[in-house]
Amino acid sequence: MYMSYHWLRRYVECDAPPDELAERLTFLGLNVDALTPMLDKDLDDVVLARLVEVEKIEGSSMMRCLVDAGAHGKYQVVSGAPNCREGSYVPLALPGSQLPDGRVIEDIEVAGVRSSGMLCSPHELGLDLGASDYLLEVEEGRPGKSAVQALGLDDVIFDIDLTPNYASHCQSVLGVARETAAAFECELWLPGEQLPDDALGDSIDDAVSIEIEDPDLCPRYSAALALDVSVEPSPWWIQRDLLACGIRPLNNVVDITNHVMLAYGQPLHAFDLDQVQGHEVRVRRARPGEKIITLDDQERTLTDEDLVIADRYRAIGIAGVMGAANSEITGDTERVLLESAYFDARSVLRTSRRLGLRTEASVRFEKGRDPEQTVESCLRALQLAHDTGAGTAARGHIDVYPRPITRRRIEFRPERANALLGIDLARRQMTSYLRRLGFQVEGEDEGQDAVKVTVPSWRPDVEREVCLIEEIVRLHGYNEVPVDRPRTAVPGYRPPAAERVKDDTRRVMVGQGFFETVTYSWMSPRTMQLMGAPEEHPHARAVEVANPMREEARRLRTNLVGSLLDVAARNMQRHGADALRLFEIGKIYRSEQLPPEDLLDEEERLGILMMGRTVPRFWGETESGTVDYYHLKGVIENLMRVLHIEDWSVKPCSDYYLHPGRSAQLLAGGEVLGQFGEIDHDVRESLEVDDRICVAELDVAGMAKIAEQSPAVKPLPSHPAATRDIAFVLNEETPHAEIRDVIERAAGDLLEGVVLFDVYRGDQVPEGSKSAAYRLTYRAPERTLTDAEVDERHNRVREALQEELEAQLRS
């Protein structure tokens, strides 16, 4: 919001310079982002001059003017401005002066007459008033005085960034003046005075009638009437105020309504009363499909959610947003009906957003206005029309207010304010602050715990006791609140189990050389097709997005493997990557029914992908292998170890995208945590990848449920261990997990570790069998084991392998 320093000074008796005022306003919560001079050019050689003589030059449209520039002397100037007339005060650019556009003024001859200097229009002084040939005029002044000062252009513009809670009462000059008066404890001057009875025309009651059909959306509607209107340019002081606040002047009627809006924050609208059919104004809901052409010449279709201002037959304005072209002010307008209403903020916001039409009026109504200011605002507009000669004020005004809005009353406890702020303010000091801000306070005697505070009508943002406390500390000064450490104990934060598992997983995966990826929540149809999920498989039941950003984003992903395959393919094709280690923790989306009738099932998963070389290239390399199923299994083993998931195992499995002999399920605690393995050869061919691709997808919630969050700590062993090796031949299909389980049960509590160190398949082993060699470690925590004890346990293991797995021991 832009605000004029000069304009503010007309409302409040405050001598603080602009920079001091800006700092104080910022501490009050009205953030002043910048202070800018109204003119950014020096115009020291432009002075105020009085036109002494004006005569037309024979045979020309130009005028010869004799001007009095005070101490600078008298000058003869030729001008073509239509408002050259004797006795007026206008800006004069002296000979040798330079204008903002770079022109240097010299003595020249115009229409055969010597011209010394130039009489200036707004454009020539760098002001944006459109293409105007009229001279700037002031009512009176001292010839020779700086024109910048005489015209009020030595102003400073405040650029104020209002937060939503201050926009309701500070989006006006009067609102900022109230804050200034409260901060500096100075007098507030309210504009306006009552017009004398002999200055009034016919009664407004004889000219128009007003009815509110929907008081919920329009609780109050006030109106005044200006007669014998003459649509002309506004006086310079009104134009200057509008320019300072960023609004271009148009004509006296429109400028007066804008001036009142900027001054009071109350939007006004002007109707040509002679275009209001039946001279009736009705505030009603729009009819479904009703059309209206607004002042921007756009036809708009309304709904019954929109509020309109209508005459007897048609809509003549969208309430709180914009008027209609069928009742706008023109050069022929003689009677102007001034509307000043209080509209429901939510209704204006809905209509404005739906129509895509935001105006100065709608922005203010959306924040909430003062319901008690409607009459005062329209009467101020009438006074300006009278004072500037724009028209005659009709007698009286109309105020339709079927359901008066009562002011909010709040119980305020001074002791609560001190406790909340951590300061010690006297009760009377607090109530003094509130009174300075316009609040009414009752019962402030020390004997009462609470006082009654009535909120002013212009503060719809103040709703609770804590709002009053904020007002007090605003005025007292946030910098006066002592800085102190909290006196309460802050409890330690322990993240949920799922978050701890994810954090540990990231640490483990990065430590093993993996890079974390973050992909979108969708999967391209091409990737789903290349993976080849059968129609009955859950991966094929993808939920479609109603409004996808592009075709590839049409379906939500049902697995993380597809997302990681997309990343791998891009890195290989575009960047020539020959070794990838990727992981992602993200959500997949599933639904039992398509299209879904309820919320989707969102499951958080860990996806892993590794492919290519096992070690990076280096100059001395002779041979390097590629990753396979066992490399991935080792990564998962490390993850299980760090997460303290002890009771886990793998079980061979088969899925549509995995190699049938190189894939497995991961089980723990009786639940399936996921599956891992090598991508099937056919899928690799469709992806145009030669190297093996190993992938895994694990359930994060399942791992969090089983993971030990407080693992048991064991002391370091104080007695030596004994090791024994055992080798045997058994069926090729017997998994390592089953062998390990047999060994652990047979060895009992003295077994400390089991390690598979060799697997052999060859000529000396029968077809369909394999040779496996294990190293067993035995240890007792409280003593050193004897050889006899170790041999006894080891023999149990040999017997169990022979009996349960039909293993043939090798010597």
Side-chain angles (χ1 to χ4, degrees), residues 62-82:
M62 309 297 284
M63 310 292 287
R64 184 187 67 82
C65 305
L66 179 63
V67 300
D68 178 12
H72 298 278
K74 294 184 178 181
Y75 294 86
Q76 178 176 273
V77 182
V78 176
S79 175

Side-chain angles (χ1 to χ4, degrees), residues 629 633 636-637 639-641 644-654 663-676 696-699 702-703 705-707 735 737-738 740:
Y629 166 87
K633 184 171 180 288
I636 294 175
E637 285 181 2
L639 178 61
M640 296 296 103
R641 177 179 55 81
H644 305 289
I645 300 178
E646 304 292 345
D647 183 22
W648 68 274
S649 61
V650 295
K651 175 183 176 182
C653 73
S654 177
S663 58
Q665 284 184 332
L666 177 65
L667 302 98
E671 297 185 10
V672 177
L673 296 184
Q675 58 189 21
F676 64 96
E697 186 169 310
L698 308 179
D699 181 14
M703 291 191 294
K705 182 179 179 182
I706 300 171
E738 186 176 351
R740 182 187 180 101

Side-chain angles (χ1 to χ4, degrees), residues 97-395:
S97 62
Q98 185 176 11
L99 297 181
D101 59 6
R103 281 184 295 167
V104 177
I105 305 303
E106 300 176 349
D107 288 347
I108 60 175
E109 188 173 299
V110 180
V113 177
R114 192 70 176 173
S115 180
S116 300
M118 174 186 285
L119 303 181
C120 298
S121 68
H123 175 72
E124 288 155 346
L125 293 181
L127 299 174
D128 184 17
L129 289 180
S132 174
D133 294 328
Y134 284 79
L135 301 178
L136 277 179
E137 292 185 75
V138 295
E139 294 182 1
E140 58 182 15
R142 176 172 57 83
K145 181 180 180 180
S146 166
V148 172
Q149 295 179 8
L151 294 169
L153 298 176
D154 57 337
D155 199 357
V156 177
I157 309 304
F158 285 57
D159 183 359
I160 304 177
D161 182 17
L162 293 175
T163 53
N165 57 319
Y166 294 124
S168 61
H169 66 284
C170 290
Q171 203 169 11
S172 65
V173 181
L174 181 58
V176 178
R178 287 193 182 107
E179 296 285 308
T180 304
F184 290 91
E185 296 188 73
C186 51
E187 186 178 354
L188 181 69
W189 297 319
L190 296 179
E193 57 185 24
Q194 189 172 354
L195 293 176
D197 192 67
D198 57 1
L200 303 178
D202 297 335
S203 172
I204 186 176
D205 296 327
D206 299 331
V208 65
S209 63
I210 297 175
E211 178 185 0
I212 297 177
E213 296 183 7
D214 195 326
D216 292 331
L217 301 187
C218 178
R220 189 173 193 178
Y221 192 99
S222 306
L225 179 63
L227 307 170
D228 303 324
V229 172
S230 176
V231 180
E232 296 175 350
S234 298
W236 164 244
W237 70 271
I238 289 183
Q239 297 187 48
R240 193 214 68 85
D241 286 349
L242 297 181
L243 284 173
C245 295
I247 293 181
R248 177 185 291 181
L250 296 176
N251 58 59
N252 51 1
V253 176
V254 175
D255 293 351
I256 285 172
T257 60
N258 284 334
H259 196 275
V260 172
M261 177 185 70
L262 294 174
Y264 288 83
Q266 172 65 43
L268 303 183
H269 184 70
F271 297 99
D272 186 335
L273 182 59
D274 293 318
Q275 300 301 319
V276 177
Q277 297 183 7
H279 294 171
E280 297 176 2
V281 173
R282 297 176 180 175
V283 186
R284 60 170 173 81
R285 288 179 182 264
R287 303 182 183 94
E290 186 172 5
K291 297 183 183 300
I292 185 173
I293 298 177
T294 46
L295 290 173
D296 56 358
D297 293 326
Q298 299 294 316
E299 184 179 72
R300 305 183 187 276
T301 303
L302 307 178
T303 71
D304 57 2
E305 292 295 315
D306 302 320
L307 189 71
V308 298
I309 311 302
D311 58 20
R312 183 180 294 178
Y313 304 108
R314 59 191 179 159
I316 57 175
I318 304 175
V321 181
M322 184 178 284
N326 55 20
S327 58
E328 68 176 319
I329 304 301
T330 67
D332 298 327
T333 298
E334 295 182 354
R335 296 193 298 171
V336 173
L337 181 67
L338 295 168
E339 166 195 280
S340 179
Y342 178 75
F343 297 118
D344 178 70
R346 289 170 296 181
S347 171
V348 175
L349 177 61
R350 283 195 302 266
T351 298
S352 175
R353 284 184 175 176
R354 188 183 63 79
L355 296 176
L357 184 60
R358 286 180 65 81
T359 61
E360 290 286 345
S362 69
V363 167
R364 285 166 170 78
F365 279 121
E366 290 167 11
K367 308 300 182 184
R369 301 266 41 95
D370 181 359
E372 297 182 13
Q373 204 173 53
T374 58
V375 173
E376 183 181 358
S377 298
C378 64
L379 292 182
R380 172 61 176 166
L382 271 189
Q383 182 192 1
L384 290 178
H386 171 269
D387 293 346
T388 61
T392 302
R395 189 179 303 276

